[in-house]
Amino acid sequence: MARCPECDSPIELSKKVELGEFIDCPECGTMLEVISLKPLDLDYAFGEEEWEEEWEEEEEEEI
Ligand SMILES: [Zn+2]
């Protein structure tokens, strides 16, 4: 069982889920990627640009 990073809903995954597998959140429909198996963890499948923007914002706050 993992949690959706978008809506925080618990997502039940099959036992044969693989690292890097894409999964749709049944609650919000966000495309997620399995980024870790132990512990099971999900992250946005296509959210790299958003992550970069967040990092830039943090850097500006520190300066
Ligand atoms: Zn969700």
Side-chain angles (χ1 to χ4, degrees):
M1 196 77 94
R3 282 190 178 277
C4 172
E6 178 69 18
C7 65
D8 204 35
S9 293
I11 301 175
E12 191 170 352
L13 300 170
S14 68
K15 292 178 182 176
K16 283 191 174 184
V17 67
E18 294 181 0
L19 198 63
E21 190 169 325
F22 295 115
I23 295 160
D24 287 326
C25 172
E27 290 296 325
C28 66
T30 299
M31 182 75 88
L32 303 171
E33 180 178 3
V34 180
I35 59 170
S36 175
L37 295 177
K38 294 181 180 179
L40 195 54
D41 197 12
L42 300 173
D43 202 351
Y44 299 101
F46 304 108
E48 291 183 6
E49 291 184 8
E50 288 184 20
W51 283 110
E52 287 180 8
E53 287 179 1
E54 287 186 17
W55 277 108
E56 288 175 3
E57 288 177 6
E58 288 183 11
E59 287 178 5
E60 287 176 358
E61 288 177 4
E62 289 178 2
I63 296 170

